Structure formats: C-alpha cells, structure tokens
C-alpha cells in the first residue's frame, strides 16, 4: 500500500481506483491528481464510468481496488471527515420537488449542521449568488431545469467546502443556462475552491485547467486542453475527444 | 440534534404537501376498523378447561365425557372445590370451568331442570362464545337422549353461564382490541416503509449520503412526524371502538396511551428497517404488508388462541409485539389492570432493538 501523501497542494487523488459490477469493470485502475484551486474536467462518453468514479471519490461507493484521497485523507477510512470537506452534486437531479426553493437550502444547511441563524443569513446570500432570490418561495418542482441545477449546486455547498465534485451539472439545458452555471463555477474557483466536474460538452472542457478523458473505464489522456490539442494536432477539444474515443 | 430536526421538519413538509396520502393514512385505519369490526368471526379448538364434579354420578360423567371428547376442549384440571376456580383463571391454567352441582343426576332423573354452571374468562370472547355454543349443543344432545329414553318433555339441563371480565359477552369487546393491534401495526409499518425507499428512488438519498448526516439522525428524524400521525390514528381507532362498538374502558386512557406509544414505536421502527433494506417503495410496501398483516392477525392471540397452538408456534407468538400489546390492551380495556411490567418491558426492548437495527442497517453508501 502506498502511504497517503502529505502534499497539501493536492485536493483529490486516486491510485489504481477500480470498481467492478460482477464481471464488468466500470472503472479500471485510474490514477489522477487534482491540484487545489484547479477546475478539473473529467470527460468521457456515456457509460465510460465517470459517475462510478466520482462516487468512489465521495465515499458513496466502495472501490473494488485502489484508493482515493481527499485533501490527503484516505476515503475508505475517513468517510465522515471527508463529507465535511466536499460538496457533491449528483448527476440525477436530487432535490426535494415538494419543498420550496429556500426550504431545500434550509434543509441542506440543517443537515450540514448549521444553526438557524447561520442558515438564514447564508441562504439569502446563496439565493442572490444563484440568481434565485425572486424564486425563494417557489415550489422546486416548478423551476426550469437550469434553475434547478443552480439550486442543486447551492444545496451542495452550504458548508463552504474546499472541494466541489459535480457530475454533469449542466446536462440537458440551453447554452445560456450553461453559461450562467459556469459563471458560478468560475466564481467558486476564483475564491480558491477546487472543482472536479464531469461533462459531455466539449466547449465546457475548454474552460477547464486540466482535463482527463475516460474511455471504457480507463483514463486515456490527462493534460491541459491546450497540451492535448497540441498532442493530437487538432484545434478543438471536440476533435481531441473524437480522436481518442474512436481510436 | 439539529440534523435530526432538519430531517423531521422536511418529512413534515412531505406529509403535509401530500394531502391524499395523509387522508389515506387517517381514513384507512378507520375504515378497516369499521369493516372488520362488523365482519370478523372466530373459532378455536383444544381449549383448556377445568371441571368441578360435585355430583359424581354416571350422568355427570357422561356430560363431562361429551364435553372433553370434542376437539374444542381438553380437560386441564379436576377441581375439588369452588374456591380453587379463580386462582386457576388468574394463572391461565384454563379458560373455562364447568361446575356440575350436587344432585344433578337426581334432578334430571326426576325430570326437573338441573343447572350446570360454566365460568368463562370473559375478557376472551372467542373462548366464551365457543364454550357457550358448545355447551348448548351438549345440552341439547343430552336432553334429546334423556327425553327419548324416559319420555320427558321438559328441558332438563339448563346451563347458566357467567362471565368473569366480560359479563355481557360482547364479541366487539374482544374483536376491537385485536383490530386496533392489527391496524396500528400495519399502518405504522406502511407509513415508514416508504420513508427511506422513496429517497432511494428519487435519488435524494445519494445527495444526503454525501453530507455528514448520521444514520441515527435520518432514522429518528423520520420517525418523529410519523409518530404523531400514528398516535392520532391510534387515538381515533380506540375512540371509535369505544363509541361505535361500545367497548368498555375499565382502565385509564393515559395508561393505554403509554403502552400504545411503545407499540407504535415498534411498528414504525419495523417499517424503517424494511425501508432501509428495500430498493423501491413498492417492494418496501409489499414487505411491510406481508410481514405485519398475517402475523398480527394469526399469531397474536387475536383470531387463534395462542394456548391452543403447537409449542413452536407459541414460541413464535412470543416474539410478536402484537401478542403483548393485545394482552395489555384487553387487560386495560376489559379488566382495568394498569401494570404490565413484563409485557411493557418486552415491548420497550423490542422498540429499542428494532430502532437500533434500522439505524445499523441504514447504508451510508450506495450499494
Ligand atoms: N450499480 C451498478 N450495477 C451494475 N452496473 C453499473 C452500476 N452502476 C453503473 N454500472 C455500469 O457501469 C458503467 C459505467 O456507468 P457510469 O454511470 O459510471 O457511466 P457514466 O460515464 O457516468 O455515464 P453517463 O455519461 O451516462 O452518466 C455503465 O455501463 C453502467 O451500466
Ligand atoms: Mg454519469
């Protein structure tokens, strides 16, 4: 076993991280390191194993082999501590549709252990940041998808985590809603938060500091978008992705 | 605590914003009570009885052998005097006592009416009814034979039945407490069975599991609002039983509330346990229904008397919370006893055990 490194500039790390479902290997021995403050794009086609990998990083799934570390803490042993340091937004929309917008924020604040007054002041600021202030009392089910996604982000981070893991946070919405969401991501990254984000959209990949590309459970490339384009001798991430996935 | 309350509060919103489910959870127990309360019919076999034969004649022995050769009764005690009768009832050695007075044979032979006294623990109306019916049959049988042989016209035997704790032998008195136990177990288990499974289906559980919330926060938080609903349900059912079926209330409502709370907690925790091990709401509801309905109906002493079951089934019954609750419920309502340290203790233990198990079985991962 390799020892967890004390490198305190590494936010997320995985070594030989593997997950099998029966005979099927969904994630096949992936290695990666995400620096603090990075926006790390985790790309891959449908079924490549992105969700499975991100769930292992959060401690939601136990790896079949290998280990992941969050801020140097091994996920398998310190699941509870890790939960206080990360914010996770799952791919499936998972807020309560029968709660109002601010009730969702209030609930997540509550289960993160914030006090009533903390929740009150924080959720007002959060609503403003998410541009949802006027929807405060709207039933969540009535929000358009793009707004729901912003709310889900807000609900994942009431405890101001240092690391945020987002699983396809912008799937299924129009370019304007995606733009708005990415503005939020940038804002968070600027304040020093590490972002780990999976996506299908190659234009979003261009915004990332570094990206990895996953094919059939394996990471086949990991570098800055600029470097990857140079290696593959193409001009867009779209072409990088197609070349790597098709080969 | 803050986390537990956050969960409880959210659960209250779910309940209040789904008025149909709320209606169902209030109206269903009421309808079940009314429906079954009027419809249920019962029978039993191998009932232990005691016999006090003060006559000791061929006719009294014939009467006894008619009684005990049936599949309904087995003789468990031969009594020497009247004074012994009550003690045996209290120790549950038998459920009915038959007294054949001195001069029974003589009177019958002379063609006079001859009273046979039957004492029954009336808190148990099934027993009472069975004994009543069967004795009437034996009496008719004997009368017919005597009349045939001796050409008498009159009714010779006249059984006088007196009931200890249920003098009017109201069968609702027996049925309603049983129904309360069945209905509350089922409704409570159903209420909570979907509580976790629903969040698995909608995916919100995945989100919750990445927060530092603990299994016990989730479980206790979820039980709290349902405790209120089920307490309301229980009160409704008991009060309807009291007013509609005229079940007596010999004991105190407060004592009843105390023991009922324990029983509800058992049922709610059981529902949560089912919820945390099943993947979908539908599976959870089916499991809750199957696991509660038949056992509380059949293995609690409600429809079938536990005493008349084979030993291994009796052991199973003693693991059934409804068995204890029913005993307490009937005791409080019909005879007014308030103190059930053994049954109460066992129920409290079960509540704690099931809640702990539900917390332990709640996965903090997604597999
Ligand atoms: N619990 C599970 N049991 C069995 N197979 C699973 C399970 N979860 C995921 N898989 C399989 O593992 C593979 C990877 O799934 P995963 O959800 O990680 O992919 P993904 O990259 O997130 O895809 P998408 O872009 O569609 O979200 C898929 O083939 C999926 O069917
Ligand atoms: Mg996915």
């Amino acid at each position: 076993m390799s020892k967890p490194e004390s490198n305190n500039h590494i936010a997320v790390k995985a070594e030989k991280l593997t997950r099998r479902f029966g005979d099927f290997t969904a994630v096949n021995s992936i290695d990666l390191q995400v620096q603090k403050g990075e926006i790390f794009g985790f790309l891959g086609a449908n079924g490549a194993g992105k969700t499975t990998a991100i769930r292992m990083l959060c401690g939601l799934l136990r790896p079949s082999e290998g280990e992941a570390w969050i801020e140097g803490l091994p996920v398998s042993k310190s699941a509870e501590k890790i939960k206080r340091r990360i914010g996770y937004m799952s791919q499936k929309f998972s807020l309560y549709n029968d709660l109002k917008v601010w009730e969702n924020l209030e609930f997540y604040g509550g289960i993160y252990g914030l006090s009533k007054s903390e929740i009150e002041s924080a959720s007002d600021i959060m609503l403003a940041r998410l541009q949802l202030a006027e929807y405060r009392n709207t039933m969540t089910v009535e929000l358009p998808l793009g707004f729901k996604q912003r709310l889900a982000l807000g609900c994942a981070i009431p405890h101001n985590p240092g690391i945020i893991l987002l699983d396809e946070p912008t799937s299924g919405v129009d370019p304007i809603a995606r733009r708005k969401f990415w503005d939020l991501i940038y804002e968070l990254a600027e304040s020093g938060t590490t972002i780990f984000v999976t996506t299908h959209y190659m234009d979003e990949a261009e915004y990332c500091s570094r990206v990895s590309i996953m094919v059939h459970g394996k990471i086949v490339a990991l570098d800055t978008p600029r470097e990857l384009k140079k290696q593959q001798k193409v001009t867009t991430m779209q072409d990088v992705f197609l070349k790597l996935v098709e080969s | 605590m803050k986390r537990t309350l956050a969960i409880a509060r959210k659960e209250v919103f779910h309940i209040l914003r789904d008025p149909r489910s709320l209606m169902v959870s209030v109206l269903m127990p009421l309808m079940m009570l009314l429906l079954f309360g009027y419809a249920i019919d019962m029978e039993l076999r191998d009932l232990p009885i005691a016999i006090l034969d003060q006559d000791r004649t061929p006719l009294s022995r014939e009467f006894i052998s008619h009684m005990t050769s049936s599949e309904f009764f087995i003789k468990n005690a031969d009594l020497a005097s009247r004074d012994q009768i009550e003690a045996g009832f209290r120790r549950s050695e038998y459920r009915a006592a038959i007294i054949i007075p001195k001069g029974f044979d003589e009177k019958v032979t002379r063609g006079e009416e001859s009273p046979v006294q039957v004492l029954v623990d009336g808190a148990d109306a099934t027993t009472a009814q069975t004994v009543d019916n069967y004795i009437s049959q034996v009496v008719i049988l004997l009368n017919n034979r005597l009349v045939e042989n001796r050409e008498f016209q009159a009714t010779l035997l006249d059984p006088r039945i007196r009931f200890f704790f249920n003098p009017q032998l109201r069968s609702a008195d027996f049925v309603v407490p049983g129904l309360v136990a069945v209905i509350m177990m089922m409704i409570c288990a159903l209420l909570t069975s979907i509580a976790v499974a629903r969040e698995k289906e909608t995916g919100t559980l995945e989100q919750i599991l990445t927060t530092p919330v603990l299994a016990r926060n989730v479980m206790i938080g979820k039980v709290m609002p349902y405790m209120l609903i089920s307490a309301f349900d229980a009160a409704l059912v008991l009060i309807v039983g009291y007013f509609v079926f005229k079940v007596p209330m010999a004991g105190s409502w407060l004592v009843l509330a105390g023991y009922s709370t324990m029983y509800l907690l058992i049922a709610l925790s059981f529902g949560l346990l089912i919820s945390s091990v099943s993947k979908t709401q539908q599976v959870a509801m089916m499991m809750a229904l199957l696991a509660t309905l038949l056992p509380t109906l059949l293995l609690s002493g409600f429809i079938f008397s536990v005493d008349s079951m084979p030993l291994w089934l009796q052991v199973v019954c003693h693991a059934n919370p409804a068995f204890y609750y029913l005993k307490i419920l009937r005791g409080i309502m019909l005879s007014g006893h308030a103190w059930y340290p053994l049954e109460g203790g066992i129920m409290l233990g079960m509540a704690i055990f099931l809640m702990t198990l539900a917390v332990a079985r709640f996965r903090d991962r997604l597999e």
Side-chain angles (χ1 to χ4, degrees):
Chain A
M1 274 306 300
S2 55
K3 276 183 251 147
E5 285 170 34
S6 53
N7 290 355
N8 56 8
H9 60 279
I10 295 184
V12 181
K13 182 178 154 184
E15 259 181 23
K16 298 197 168 55
L17 199 61
T18 302
R19 174 73 202 207
R20 292 184 206 97
F21 296 109
D23 303 338
F24 177 72
T25 308
V27 174
N28 192 350
S29 191
I30 61 169
D31 296 291
L32 57 83
Q33 289 193 4
V34 179
Q35 315 288 319
K36 279 193 177 159
E38 255 190 314
I39 298 179
F40 189 88
F42 197 60
L43 317 186
N46 282 339
K50 305 180 295 293
T51 299
T52 308
I54 208 168
R55 281 178 173 163
M56 285 192 283
L57 296 177
C58 298
L60 281 172
L61 272 184
R62 218 185 272 282
S64 307
E65 270 162 44
E67 177 66 282
W69 289 266
I70 295 286
E71 295 183 343
L73 296 168
V75 174
S76 61
K77 296 190 193 78
S78 344
E80 290 313 311
K81 279 187 198 150
I82 282 161
K83 287 173 178 179
R84 288 167 205 280
R85 300 180 184 211
I86 60 166
Y88 167 67
M89 184 178 152
S90 71
Q91 177 172 4
K92 191 173 170 193
F93 172 75
S94 56
L95 297 182
Y96 298 96
N97 270 324
D98 55 345
L99 297 193
K100 291 174 183 165
V101 167
W102 75 271
E103 286 167 349
N104 265 304
L105 282 170
E106 188 189 30
F107 170 67
Y108 279 101
I111 60 171
Y112 274 108
L114 304 190
S115 72
K116 215 169 145 65
S117 59
E118 280 173 316
I119 291 172
E120 250 156 46
S121 58
S123 51
D124 279 338
I125 296 169
M126 184 66 79
L127 282 170
R129 249 169 89 186
L130 301 173
Q131 302 181 36
L132 290 172
E134 58 193 296
Y135 298 97
R136 188 188 156 87
N137 288 315
T138 305
M139 224 28 117
T140 302
V141 68
E142 289 160 14
L143 289 181
L145 183 59
F147 291 46
K148 281 184 179 172
Q149 289 169 339
R150 295 208 299 274
L151 177 60
L153 175 63
C155 288
I157 56 171
H159 55 311
N160 290 318
I163 302 170
I164 302 177
L165 301 108
L166 308 162
D167 194 0
E168 292 188 31
T170 58
S171 61
V173 298
D174 61 59
I176 299 167
R178 279 166 54 201
R179 181 79 239 173
K180 271 191 173 171
F181 197 95
W182 273 86
D183 286 344
L184 284 170
I185 292 181
Y186 277 131
E187 223 177 274
L188 286 162
E190 263 160 39
S191 62
T193 311
T194 310
I195 309 280
F196 185 100
V197 56
T198 78
T199 183
H200 274 141
Y201 299 108
M202 289 308 133
D203 56 330
E204 290 182 351
E206 310 269 2
Y207 310 150
C208 297
S209 347
R210 286 191 307 149
V211 300
S212 71
I213 295 178
M214 205 172 174
V215 181
H216 299 317
K218 280 187 180 285
I219 289 181
V220 294
L222 193 164
D223 216 318
T224 58
R226 172 200 287 234
E227 194 59 36
L228 286 176
K229 280 181 272 189
K230 209 162 87 188
Q231 280 169 13
Q232 300 297 325
K233 305 188 177 60
V234 291
T235 53
T236 62
M237 277 306 292
Q238 180 93 28
D239 293 336
V240 172
F241 187 76
L242 288 177
K243 266 187 117 168
L244 284 168
V245 170
E246 277 164 6
S247 65
Chain B
M1 194 62 198
K2 261 179 281 177
R3 300 196 172 108
T4 307
L5 287 180
I7 299 267
R9 205 177 133 82
K10 173 201 70 122
E11 217 63 30
V12 169
F13 286 134
H14 290 326
I15 294 167
L16 293 180
R17 292 189 181 151
D18 187 4
R20 267 196 309 177
S21 305
L22 188 61
M23 285 278 279
V24 168
S25 57
V26 173
L27 290 183
M28 196 155 82
L30 208 57
M31 277 180 41
M32 280 165 51
L33 178 68
L34 294 173
L35 214 67
F36 295 125
Y38 287 116
I40 281 192
D41 206 350
M42 283 168 270
E43 213 175 12
L44 86 184
R45 41 184 66 217
D46 284 346
L47 189 80
I49 56 173
I51 289 178
L52 175 57
D53 186 354
Q54 294 174 320
D55 198 34
R56 296 183 184 281
T57 55
L59 188 64
S60 73
R61 277 192 285 276
E62 189 187 347
F63 184 82
I64 291 165
S65 85
H66 267 290
M67 292 291 298
T68 51
S69 64
S70 76
E71 56 184 28
F72 293 104
F73 305 110
I74 44 173
K75 190 164 72 174
N76 221 24
D78 263 319
L79 302 175
S81 82
R82 264 172 185 277
D83 308 342
Q84 297 175 313
I85 291 177
E86 188 167 345
F89 269 120
R90 294 230 176 269
R91 285 195 302 270
S92 300
E93 280 171 24
Y94 41 80
R95 309 267 288 278
I98 296 172
I99 302 164
I100 303 173
K102 218 172 170 52
F104 172 75
D105 195 346
E106 225 175 87
K107 277 187 183 167
V108 172
T109 313
R110 266 194 272 120
E112 290 173 26
E113 263 189 22
S114 177
V116 171
Q117 197 179 25
V118 180
L119 299 170
V120 175
D121 178 349
D124 182 348
T126 314
T127 311
Q129 207 116 52
T130 310
V131 174
D132 186 15
N133 291 342
Y134 197 73
I135 286 189
S136 309
Q137 279 173 27
V138 170
V139 167
I140 291 168
L141 208 84
L142 276 176
N143 274 338
N144 285 347
R145 200 180 61 68
L146 292 172
V147 169
E148 252 170 46
N149 285 359
R150 306 177 198 188
E151 296 178 356
F152 291 134
Q153 300 291 316
T155 302
L156 303 179
L157 303 173
D158 173 21
R160 304 249 165 97
I161 298 180
R162 190 183 128 214
F163 296 104
F164 258 81
F165 297 122
N166 182 4
Q168 286 148 359
L169 193 61
R170 303 267 335 279
S171 90
D173 297 0
F174 172 76
V175 172
V176 170
L179 280 178
V180 172
V182 173
I183 293 171
M184 291 324 297
M185 176 60 77
M186 211 174 90
I187 292 292
C188 293
L190 272 179
L191 278 177
T192 44
S193 69
I194 56 164
V196 178
R198 184 180 52 210
E199 301 217 27
K200 278 183 207 169
E201 266 182 38
T202 56
T204 48
L205 192 68
E206 177 170 359
Q207 195 67 48
I208 286 187
L209 289 180
T210 55
T211 72
V213 76
L214 301 173
R216 62 163 184 276
N217 299 138
V218 177
M219 290 306 181
I220 296 173
K222 277 179 183 286
V223 142
M224 280 162 41
Y226 289 110
M227 191 70 219
L228 284 182
I229 295 188
S230 54
F232 178 76
D233 275 353
L236 200 67
V237 168
L238 285 167
I239 288 169
V240 167
Y242 181 71
F243 284 108
V244 176
F245 294 106
K246 306 275 191 307
V247 177
M249 184 59 197
S252 121
W253 286 101
L254 207 67
V255 172
L256 184 57
Y259 287 112
S260 300
T261 307
M262 249 185 265
Y263 183 65
L264 299 181
L265 204 58
I266 292 174
L268 292 170
S269 309
F270 184 61
L272 275 185
L273 178 62
I274 287 174
S275 203
S276 27
V277 298
S278 36
K279 284 204 167 67
T280 65
Q281 297 183 70
Q282 224 166 10
V283 168
M285 283 170 76
M286 286 308 294
M287 272 173 72
L289 217 78
L290 285 178
T292 57
L293 182 61
L294 291 181
T296 39
L297 214 55
L298 305 179
L299 300 177
S300 63
F302 173 23
I303 291 187
F304 298 113
S305 151
V306 174
D307 301 346
S308 55
M309 291 178 184
L311 186 67
W312 68 272
L313 259 187
Q314 292 196 23
V315 173
V316 175
C317 292
H318 282 76
N320 184 354
F323 170 74
Y324 301 99
Y325 182 61
L326 199 52
K327 224 172 173 174
I328 295 174
L329 201 55
R330 285 186 183 148
I332 294 176
M333 296 186 93
L334 304 181
S335 61
H337 292 303
W339 183 232
Y340 300 89
L342 182 66
E343 288 83 1
I346 290 173
M347 289 214 308
L348 187 64
M350 284 177 163
I352 294 170
F353 173 74
L354 282 172
M355 193 66 200
T356 314
L357 199 61
V359 169
R361 294 290 309 181
F362 180 80
R363 295 256 156 266
D364 56 358
R365 288 194 173 79
L366 281 178
E367 29 221 318

